[in-house]
Amino acid sequence: MIALSLAEIASVVGGQTYDIPDPQVRVTGPVVIDSRKVESGSLFAAFAGERVDGHDYARDVVEKGAAAVLAARPVGVPAIVVEDVQAALGALARHVVARLGATLVALTGSAGKTSTKDLIAQVLQRKAPTVFTPGSFNNEIGLPLTALSATDETRFLVLEMGARGKGHIQYLTGLTPPKVGVVLNVGTAHIGEFGGREQIAEAKGELVEALPAEGTAILNADDPLVRAMASRTKAKVLLFGEAAEAAVRAENVRLTENGQPAFSLRTPSGCSEVTLRLYGEHHVSNALAAAAVAHDLGMSVEEIAVALSEAGTLSRWRMEVTERSDGVTIVNDAYNANPESMRAALRALVAMGKGRRTWAVLGHMAELGDESLAEHDAVGRLAVRLNVSKLVAVGGREASWLQLGAYNEGSWGEESVHVSDAQAAVDLLRSELRPGDVVLVKASRSVGLESVAQALIEGGVDAR
């Protein structure tokens, strides 16, 4: 964070200082909410959760070197006390961003946000110092923490914005007003909470509404609901996609033998070839969004193409590919799942597994509301239509719908199986995997299927 005195921070957040001998002491370290991440000069924001109350760690963090605690009550050590710690954290982020002078790039979408954010960051880092959202730290707490990690040297701040309802993105853009806004797609993620795709589009479009007239709205030309958002912004509009009208587009899209996308990247400044290190054709759209941001911020098509071709996966459990010594390939995509990302991952699995046996180890997709049965059934059917060798549905009722969809599509129980939990899936796979097999592991975060991937990575094929 840019250095601020405790007195200045208290003024910004409307707090009262307690047990602070010298209000001019400056916060020079990161702002954190995890006591284990405290460094010398940190500001520790104490949140009271369901199981852990950060206020209980106040003395510990000060002993570790924290300059003070941002708290909801006096804690017996240097503290700035406020009525609402979350609101204070947001106010502090808004103040710091206003002083930075960095260009803020914000993005949202139903699928691909984190992968695209990682691509944007890796491309922009070639141009100037860049700070970006770690993992999926994209909510009312994670976004301010990311903004507060910027320093005086930061020139680009890339922020992922999530939403679970109307007004969420409007709130986030109020904390960190973007100059460049990217909307990737409107799908069915969290549709149970929003009520429908039109409502999702309404919420995602809050990002382009927040852009200034001198800003840029970067919109997916291949998604009609996103493209329609052009009418909701006063900013310049830049389209990306495979549509002919897209100013930044992909031509001659193909997959390498390993299932990695290659294409000709065309921007208003020219054309250059890209071969991604990521897996699956769905990453072409993500790469185009990143290319559009970089083009808007002044990078040449050649610079963008090189940066995209060298970019990797920064966030864990997102199409992480591990080749075991026995030839089994594990694809850990277990961080999260929705119908769009499930379909993309299955197609990537098939592309990677040409001539090899393929396994789809899938768990339920959360927050689909009344669409849950139909969406799980559809994913199970798609696995059969794509000729995935074996579907292993893991978990309870929703997982059984995956297996039922596959069964009704024509697997007749031979190409699909339903198991009760992660350990049962591991036991099955360890007994049946053969060298050369490709295994995809994917489900909503709450299922915890990353444990299956990790167990398979650490263990070999059983001797038979």
PDB file of all heavy atoms in Angstrom, residues 384-398:
ATOM      1  N   VAL A 384     -21.571 -37.980 -22.962  1.00  0.00           N
ATOM      2  CA  VAL A 384     -21.768 -39.135 -23.847  1.00  0.00           C
ATOM      3  C   VAL A 384     -21.645 -38.722 -25.306  1.00  0.00           C
ATOM      4  O   VAL A 384     -20.994 -39.397 -26.116  1.00  0.00           O
ATOM      5  CB  VAL A 384     -23.135 -39.794 -23.577  1.00  0.00           C
ATOM      6  CG1 VAL A 384     -23.405 -40.913 -24.581  1.00  0.00           C
ATOM      7  CG2 VAL A 384     -23.193 -40.334 -22.151  1.00  0.00           C
ATOM      8  N   ARG A 385     -22.250 -37.586 -25.656  1.00  0.00           N
ATOM      9  CA  ARG A 385     -22.204 -37.120 -27.048  1.00  0.00           C
ATOM     10  C   ARG A 385     -20.778 -36.822 -27.501  1.00  0.00           C
ATOM     11  O   ARG A 385     -20.445 -36.988 -28.675  1.00  0.00           O
ATOM     12  CB  ARG A 385     -23.071 -35.871 -27.211  1.00  0.00           C
ATOM     13  CG  ARG A 385     -24.556 -36.137 -27.047  1.00  0.00           C
ATOM     14  CD  ARG A 385     -25.345 -34.840 -27.013  1.00  0.00           C
ATOM     15  NE  ARG A 385     -26.745 -35.074 -26.686  1.00  0.00           N
ATOM     16  CZ  ARG A 385     -27.620 -34.136 -26.382  1.00  0.00           C
ATOM     17  NH1 ARG A 385     -27.227 -32.855 -26.361  1.00  0.00           N
ATOM     18  NH2 ARG A 385     -28.863 -34.435 -26.089  1.00  0.00           N
ATOM     19  N   LEU A 386     -19.934 -36.397 -26.564  1.00  0.00           N
ATOM     20  CA  LEU A 386     -18.542 -36.102 -26.895  1.00  0.00           C
ATOM     21  C   LEU A 386     -17.664 -37.350 -26.871  1.00  0.00           C
ATOM     22  O   LEU A 386     -16.466 -37.269 -27.124  1.00  0.00           O
ATOM     23  CB  LEU A 386     -17.979 -35.071 -25.915  1.00  0.00           C
ATOM     24  CG  LEU A 386     -18.576 -33.661 -25.994  1.00  0.00           C
ATOM     25  CD1 LEU A 386     -18.019 -32.787 -24.866  1.00  0.00           C
ATOM     26  CD2 LEU A 386     -18.289 -33.025 -27.340  1.00  0.00           C
ATOM     27  N   ASN A 387     -18.268 -38.483 -26.528  1.00  0.00           N
ATOM     28  CA  ASN A 387     -17.541 -39.762 -26.457  1.00  0.00           C
ATOM     29  C   ASN A 387     -16.480 -39.783 -25.370  1.00  0.00           C
ATOM     30  O   ASN A 387     -15.403 -40.380 -25.538  1.00  0.00           O
ATOM     31  CB  ASN A 387     -16.911 -40.109 -27.812  1.00  0.00           C
ATOM     32  CG  ASN A 387     -17.959 -40.450 -28.855  1.00  0.00           C
ATOM     33  OD1 ASN A 387     -18.936 -41.132 -28.560  1.00  0.00           O
ATOM     34  ND2 ASN A 387     -17.775 -39.942 -30.061  1.00  0.00           N
ATOM     35  N   VAL A 388     -16.756 -39.102 -24.254  1.00  0.00           N
ATOM     36  CA  VAL A 388     -15.900 -39.260 -23.084  1.00  0.00           C
ATOM     37  C   VAL A 388     -15.967 -40.721 -22.659  1.00  0.00           C
ATOM     38  O   VAL A 388     -17.055 -41.302 -22.581  1.00  0.00           O
ATOM     39  CB  VAL A 388     -16.366 -38.344 -21.940  1.00  0.00           C
ATOM     40  CG1 VAL A 388     -15.594 -38.631 -20.656  1.00  0.00           C
ATOM     41  CG2 VAL A 388     -16.209 -36.883 -22.338  1.00  0.00           C
ATOM     42  N   SER A 389     -14.820 -41.322 -22.405  1.00  0.00           N
ATOM     43  CA  SER A 389     -14.797 -42.765 -22.146  1.00  0.00           C
ATOM     44  C   SER A 389     -15.582 -43.145 -20.899  1.00  0.00           C
ATOM     45  O   SER A 389     -16.306 -44.147 -20.890  1.00  0.00           O
ATOM     46  CB  SER A 389     -13.352 -43.244 -21.997  1.00  0.00           C
ATOM     47  OG  SER A 389     -12.592 -42.919 -23.130  1.00  0.00           O
ATOM     48  N   LYS A 390     -15.450 -42.342 -19.835  1.00  0.00           N
ATOM     49  CA  LYS A 390     -16.139 -42.691 -18.594  1.00  0.00           C
ATOM     50  C   LYS A 390     -16.471 -41.432 -17.806  1.00  0.00           C
ATOM     51  O   LYS A 390     -15.610 -40.576 -17.586  1.00  0.00           O
ATOM     52  CB  LYS A 390     -15.252 -43.592 -17.735  1.00  0.00           C
ATOM     53  CG  LYS A 390     -15.952 -44.189 -16.515  1.00  0.00           C
ATOM     54  CD  LYS A 390     -16.589 -45.517 -16.825  1.00  0.00           C
ATOM     55  CE  LYS A 390     -17.075 -46.229 -15.555  1.00  0.00           C
ATOM     56  NZ  LYS A 390     -17.510 -47.603 -15.822  1.00  0.00           N
ATOM     57  N   LEU A 391     -17.720 -41.302 -17.394  1.00  0.00           N
ATOM     58  CA  LEU A 391     -18.154 -40.227 -16.511  1.00  0.00           C
ATOM     59  C   LEU A 391     -18.276 -40.788 -15.098  1.00  0.00           C
ATOM     60  O   LEU A 391     -18.963 -41.790 -14.879  1.00  0.00           O
ATOM     61  CB  LEU A 391     -19.512 -39.682 -16.958  1.00  0.00           C
ATOM     62  CG  LEU A 391     -20.253 -38.782 -15.960  1.00  0.00           C
ATOM     63  CD1 LEU A 391     -19.480 -37.479 -15.748  1.00  0.00           C
ATOM     64  CD2 LEU A 391     -21.669 -38.488 -16.418  1.00  0.00           C
ATOM     65  N   VAL A 392     -17.596 -40.136 -14.162  1.00  0.00           N
ATOM     66  CA  VAL A 392     -17.718 -40.495 -12.746  1.00  0.00           C
ATOM     67  C   VAL A 392     -18.383 -39.314 -12.047  1.00  0.00           C
ATOM     68  O   VAL A 392     -17.778 -38.254 -11.859  1.00  0.00           O
ATOM     69  CB  VAL A 392     -16.347 -40.782 -12.106  1.00  0.00           C
ATOM     70  CG1 VAL A 392     -16.521 -41.181 -10.643  1.00  0.00           C
ATOM     71  CG2 VAL A 392     -15.626 -41.883 -12.872  1.00  0.00           C
ATOM     72  N   ALA A 393     -19.655 -39.470 -11.686  1.00  0.00           N
ATOM     73  CA  ALA A 393     -20.411 -38.415 -11.009  1.00  0.00           C
ATOM     74  C   ALA A 393     -20.247 -38.602  -9.505  1.00  0.00           C
ATOM     75  O   ALA A 393     -20.534 -39.680  -8.976  1.00  0.00           O
ATOM     76  CB  ALA A 393     -21.879 -38.486 -11.406  1.00  0.00           C
ATOM     77  N   VAL A 394     -19.793 -37.543  -8.821  1.00  0.00           N
ATOM     78  CA  VAL A 394     -19.408 -37.667  -7.418  1.00  0.00           C
ATOM     79  C   VAL A 394     -20.318 -36.822  -6.533  1.00  0.00           C
ATOM     80  O   VAL A 394     -20.447 -35.613  -6.734  1.00  0.00           O
ATOM     81  CB  VAL A 394     -17.945 -37.206  -7.219  1.00  0.00           C
ATOM     82  CG1 VAL A 394     -17.498 -37.456  -5.785  1.00  0.00           C
ATOM     83  CG2 VAL A 394     -17.017 -37.907  -8.196  1.00  0.00           C
ATOM     84  N   GLY A 395     -20.953 -37.455  -5.543  1.00  0.00           N
ATOM     85  CA  GLY A 395     -21.742 -36.693  -4.585  1.00  0.00           C
ATOM     86  C   GLY A 395     -23.179 -37.145  -4.500  1.00  0.00           C
ATOM     87  O   GLY A 395     -23.514 -38.296  -4.804  1.00  0.00           O
ATOM     88  N   GLY A 396     -24.048 -36.214  -4.095  1.00  0.00           N
ATOM     89  CA  GLY A 396     -25.428 -36.538  -3.805  1.00  0.00           C
ATOM     90  C   GLY A 396     -26.385 -36.401  -4.968  1.00  0.00           C
ATOM     91  O   GLY A 396     -26.106 -36.834  -6.082  1.00  0.00           O
ATOM     92  N   ARG A 397     -27.529 -35.761  -4.711  1.00  0.00           N
ATOM     93  CA  ARG A 397     -28.634 -35.735  -5.664  1.00  0.00           C
ATOM     94  C   ARG A 397     -28.234 -35.135  -7.011  1.00  0.00           C
ATOM     95  O   ARG A 397     -28.520 -35.716  -8.054  1.00  0.00           O
ATOM     96  CB  ARG A 397     -29.800 -34.935  -5.069  1.00  0.00           C
ATOM     97  CG  ARG A 397     -31.024 -34.857  -5.970  1.00  0.00           C
ATOM     98  CD  ARG A 397     -32.104 -33.996  -5.348  1.00  0.00           C
ATOM     99  NE  ARG A 397     -31.638 -32.632  -5.125  1.00  0.00           N
ATOM    100  CZ  ARG A 397     -32.438 -31.641  -4.714  1.00  0.00           C
ATOM    101  NH1 ARG A 397     -33.703 -31.884  -4.439  1.00  0.00           N
ATOM    102  NH2 ARG A 397     -31.950 -30.423  -4.544  1.00  0.00           N
ATOM    103  N   GLU A 398     -27.579 -33.977  -6.994  1.00  0.00           N
ATOM    104  CA  GLU A 398     -27.229 -33.321  -8.254  1.00  0.00           C
ATOM    105  C   GLU A 398     -26.270 -34.169  -9.070  1.00  0.00           C
ATOM    106  O   GLU A 398     -26.351 -34.226 -10.296  1.00  0.00           O
ATOM    107  CB  GLU A 398     -26.624 -31.936  -7.991  1.00  0.00           C
ATOM    108  CG  GLU A 398     -27.613 -30.915  -7.452  1.00  0.00           C
ATOM    109  CD  GLU A 398     -27.732 -30.972  -5.940  1.00  0.00           C
ATOM    110  OE1 GLU A 398     -27.152 -31.901  -5.324  1.00  0.00           O
ATOM    111  OE2 GLU A 398     -28.406 -30.092  -5.364  1.00  0.00           O
TER     112      GLU A 398
END
